[in-house]
Amino acid sequence: MTPTAAVGARRRARGRRTPGRTARGANRPGPPKSKTMHTLRGIAVSPGIAIGPVRVLDPRGLRPPLRAVSAEAVPAEYDRLDRALESARSEAEAAEAEARDRIGPQYADILGAHARMIDDPTLRRDARERIGRDLVSAEHAVSEVLEGHAARLAGMADTHLAARAADVRDIQRRILAQFLGPGTAPAPGDTDGPIVVLAHDLSPSETAGLDPARVLGFATESGGLASHTAIVAAALEIPAVVGLGRALDLARLSRSAIVDGDEGLVVLDPDPPTLDRYRRASVERTARFEGLADLAHLPAETLDGRAVRLWGNIEFPAEVDPCLDRGATGIGLYRTEFLFLNVDRPPTEDEQFAAYEAVVRSAGGRPVTFRTLDLGADKLVSYRNGHPPEPNPALGLRSLRLSLRDPDLFRTQLRAILRASALGDVRVMFPLVSTISEFRQARAILRAVAGELAAEGVAVPAGLPVGVMVEVPAAAVMADQLAKEVDFFSIGTNDLIQYTLAVDRTNETVAGLYSAADPSVLRLIALVVAAAEPRGLDVTVCGAMGGEPLYAPLLLGLGIRCLSMAPHQLPEIKRVIRAIRDDRARALAAEVLGLEGAPEVAERLREALIEAFPEAAAHALPGGPHDSRG
Ligand code: PEP
Ligand code: MG
């Protein structure tokens, strides 16, 4: 299947969903369970409302009870083991092929690795040994062996290795499902009917494997706003809430659930009035989004004629088409590091080129902004095991710092990007720049690599725009100096907020302190615009703040002319832009820059949005992940 066909298939799958992603089974009679409604609050990471029967995924719940077998039954247990391993392996291979079409090679490769792990002769040998020695059933033996591996990995100080425990539990789930029959021990994407998934955590690979046609929504006990899982959920457009805290014990007693990915709520066993309210909200939401589809081809400009560029953020090549379908006129942030995650080795230059080429070609001549590798912190790769764990990774060797420390990794990526740049309108930006000297080092390497390619006879366009992401307060404060050398700025508010307010963006326990409305953040944005304007440099906001309707008038008023966001956010932002005036937005920005704190700013922004645009405000105000303090 071509990437375009894959996107088409995904969209057809979405088209089959009932409006608002509800399942009939939400009301079906089942085993006696708690009938009391419980509402849990978490962090909204992927918008939408899902209503359906609950499926709790908990690796601990998978362990089959000890079942003794007689010595005579041992050969039969060996056969059962062989059959289960064989069918689990072929199932993982089929899932790999499907993921390759749906999401891209990097996640397909994980499933390929799962297939190889299942096929590993040591697993078979160890499980057989237990059956023969302990006289236990095949499922108990294989589960004990795998649980032993998972527990050992999970206990390791090296976070890369600890994260592999999730892979082992993934394959455990798949193998046990073969013994226990369909539906008894399902993998997240391997279920019979539409469901709402509740789990302690879902790895990015598990999330990437979810089938949006079957998994209506999901919620997890752990996780933060900017985790990979959150980003993948938004890319797949599955409503999701993370960071619920303890929820599985209650969820196990519940028959149905609502996941409200706009408000960050999970309602277990909703009572009839709540169910009705959500069903209505869900239908309205679907109708509203269908209405917004018509906006895709209208210009993004204010009532007084100020044009704004709306671009899309992507992690996978297959996301370019959804961005363009929703009216994006370019790609403002391509998070290239997703190609490097959850694989056993870094992709080669040619593998990277293939992905980059696909993105540039799908963009069809529109600008594509490549963000060079942003690895480290929460985006860890297993093949960097040689690097000792850092005490404070968000302030450690991450992002551009890591690329500069590993020139081979960096140069290989730059070669692949520069080769792709000949095929369209490509820009390059460096993430997490803290000083001008880092920018100069990175640009010097880029120029050297361009020179090498030219010497090899590879066409590289001259004058490729090179920019920096402003994600560290230091870069915003020094923007006037940076402006002398960069071609553009792109403000990564996700990190800029984290570093300005000293609040870990992935930690649910401090999520209430994380706010884009804080005047300190707004003043830093204003500094960047002031540094860029005299030189005519573009300033884009590509962090999540850029896709939230509440902030669109403010950002416009601060002088931002380009917003880049996840594809699903494009229509709503265009709608807001077309309903406001630039002169009013400027007055609003000047006013809120003088307010004392985030709650006051958020309140003023709400009023302004309601004043300018009553219907949009009714929908857009709640649930922006950044207005948690407002
Ligand atoms: C940001 O920090 O705002 C950003 C866009 O980059 P990421 O979310 O990938 O860190
Ligand atoms: Mg960032």
Side-chain angles (χ1 to χ4, degrees):
M1 200 190 295
T2 63
T4 323
V7 169
R10 205 161 90 181
R11 225 169 273 136
R12 281 192 297 280
R14 286 196 191 114
R16 283 197 299 273
R17 294 173 192 164
T18 47
R21 305 182 60 65
T22 62
R24 280 175 208 282
N27 280 337
R28 78 179 168 200
K33 292 206 168 184
S34 149
K35 292 297 288 172
T36 320
M37 179 168 94
H38 291 279
T39 302
L40 309 173
R41 179 169 284 281
I43 303 168
V45 291
S46 182
I49 294 168
I51 305 174
V54 172
R55 175 67 58 85
V56 175
L57 296 177
D58 178 3
R60 287 163 304 171
L62 286 179
R63 304 192 55 189
L66 176 68
R67 181 167 66 82
V69 297
S70 64
E72 297 71 55
V74 165
E77 290 303 307
Y78 289 159
D79 282 352
R80 289 181 70 231
L81 174 73
D82 288 349
R83 278 200 305 275
L85 291 176
E86 177 52 29
S87 52
R89 183 188 55 79
S90 53
E91 202 184 82
E93 282 170 354
E96 175 193 0
E98 199 195 321
R100 201 167 294 283
D101 285 339
R102 271 200 321 130
I103 299 175
Q106 65 272 45
Y107 288 103
D109 289 348
I110 301 163
L111 294 164
H114 286 188
R116 287 191 296 281
M117 283 160 79
I118 295 169
D119 214 22
D120 183 348
T122 344
L123 171 62
R124 188 178 305 249
R125 188 200 61 209
D126 291 353
R128 284 173 78 102
E129 202 176 288
R130 273 182 188 254
I131 296 171
R133 186 191 64 205
D134 301 341
L135 299 179
V136 292
S137 67
E139 56 269 48
H140 185 77
V142 78
S143 159
E144 286 296 300
V145 170
L146 288 170
E147 194 50 39
H149 290 328
R152 265 192 304 282
L153 286 168
M156 292 200 173
D158 181 332
T159 45
H160 311 91
L161 288 176
R164 305 299 289 259
D167 285 318
V168 176
R169 291 205 165 106
D170 240 7
I171 69 164
Q172 186 185 1
R173 188 158 32 223
R174 198 179 286 285
I175 294 168
L176 289 179
Q178 316 303 319
F179 288 110
L180 304 174
T184 317
D190 178 25
T191 57
D192 33 13
I195 47 165
V196 167
V197 167
L198 275 103
H200 173 66
D201 198 6
L202 285 177
S203 68
S205 75
E206 287 171 323
T207 311
L210 298 177
D211 176 356
R214 290 198 229 156
V215 178
L216 302 168
F218 74 83
T220 59
E221 289 186 320
S222 63
L225 185 58
S227 61
H228 298 151
T229 297
I231 287 170
V232 175
L236 291 176
E237 300 184 19
I238 298 178
V241 173
V242 302
L244 285 175
R246 271 189 80 131
L248 294 194
D249 291 343
L250 270 178
R252 259 187 223 99
L253 299 172
S254 308
R255 210 176 289 160
S256 64
I258 298 170
V259 171
D260 178 346
D262 296 316
E263 299 282 354
L265 297 176
V266 172
V267 188
L268 297 172
D269 278 335
D271 60 21
T274 308
L275 203 53
D276 270 6
R277 194 159 48 77
Y278 267 102
R279 286 209 168 113
R280 276 200 311 277
S282 173
V283 170
E284 273 166 28
R285 197 175 191 285
T286 306
R288 185 159 51 88
F289 277 90
E290 278 166 9
L292 288 176
D294 298 342
L295 285 171
H297 304 293
L298 296 176
E301 65 180 31
T302 60
L303 293 171
D304 48 347
R306 168 71 68 186
V308 180
R309 263 170 297 149
L310 298 186
W311 285 354
N313 291 351
I314 61 165
E315 291 74 41
F316 311 110
E319 285 177 276
V320 176
D321 286 350
C323 289
L324 302 185
D325 291 349
R326 284 155 180 167
T329 54
I331 301 301
L333 171 64
Y334 176 15
R335 291 182 163 102
T336 56
E337 65 279 1
F338 272 74
L339 201 58
F340 290 67
L341 297 176
N342 296 312
V343 285
D344 292 333
R345 53 162 181 83
T348 62
E349 180 185 322
D350 284 345
E351 286 166 346
Q352 291 184 56
F353 174 73
Y356 303 162
E357 179 188 18
V359 168
V360 175
R361 289 202 189 280
S362 306
R366 297 173 190 83
V368 176
T369 316
F370 281 77
R371 186 263 289 281
T372 63
L373 286 177
D374 186 37
L375 292 170
D378 64 329
K379 294 180 204 154
L380 299 171
V381 291
S382 53
Y383 44 84
R384 295 188 63 84
N385 283 345
H387 295 253
E390 296 179 276
N392 203 343
L395 301 181
L397 191 61
R398 66 164 289 207
S399 203
L400 183 62
R401 299 169 187 177
L402 191 143
S403 296
L404 292 175
R405 200 67 77 83
D406 192 341
D408 287 346
L409 184 76
F410 194 33
R411 294 173 82 95
T412 306
Q413 174 174 50
L414 294 176
R415 282 180 65 91
I417 294 175
L418 287 170
R419 283 170 58 197
S421 72
L423 308 170
D425 179 356
V426 166
R427 293 135 209 245
V428 175
M429 65 185 181
F430 302 121
L432 209 85
V433 168
S434 314
T435 65
I436 197 160
S437 109
E438 276 175 344
F439 171 70
R440 287 181 183 146
Q441 287 175 61
R443 189 185 47 191
I445 297 174
L446 181 72
R447 285 180 179 162
V449 170
E452 269 167 36
L453 283 169
E456 290 168 26
V458 178
V460 177
L464 190 80
V466 183
V468 297
M469 288 186 76
V470 178
E471 305 187 275
V472 178
V477 171
M478 297 302 287
D480 57 334
Q481 297 295 335
L482 283 164
K484 294 177 189 164
E485 303 200 14
V486 305
D487 296 317
F488 64 91
F489 289 107
S490 186
I491 305 182
T493 50
N494 303 338
D495 276 311
L496 187 63
I497 298 165
Q498 147 164 282
Y499 293 121
T500 303
L501 299 174
V503 178
D504 179 350
R505 60 188 268 194
T506 66
N507 181 344
E508 66 270 21
T509 58
V510 287
L513 301 172
Y514 184 95
S515 175
D518 199 284
S520 58
V521 175
L522 307 182
R523 288 181 189 203
L524 291 174
I525 295 174
L527 275 182
V528 180
V529 174
E533 257 173 8
R535 295 177 182 274
L537 303 181
D538 283 350
V539 184
T540 300
V541 169
C542 66
M545 183 184 186
E548 288 176 25
L550 186 71
Y551 295 107
L554 169 64
L555 291 174
L556 199 68
L558 287 170
I560 300 290
R561 298 283 163 260
C562 182
L563 299 171
S564 192
M565 63 204 77
H568 67 88
Q569 296 171 315
L570 286 155
E572 190 92 61
I573 293 292
K574 188 184 279 187
R575 195 178 195 201
V576 174
I577 299 283
R578 289 175 57 84
I580 58 178
R581 292 184 57 87
D582 187 44
D583 51 3
R584 300 281 286 274
R586 283 196 177 269
L588 175 70
E591 184 191 337
V592 302
L593 279 175
L595 295 177
E596 66 176 33
E600 294 76 16
V601 171
E603 188 47 39
R604 183 65 195 99
L605 296 183
R606 280 196 184 91
E607 283 166 18
L609 197 55
I610 289 166
E611 209 176 285
F613 193 39
E615 326 98 78
H619 301 292
L621 289 178
H626 294 97
D627 56 352
S628 45
R629 276 171 53 178

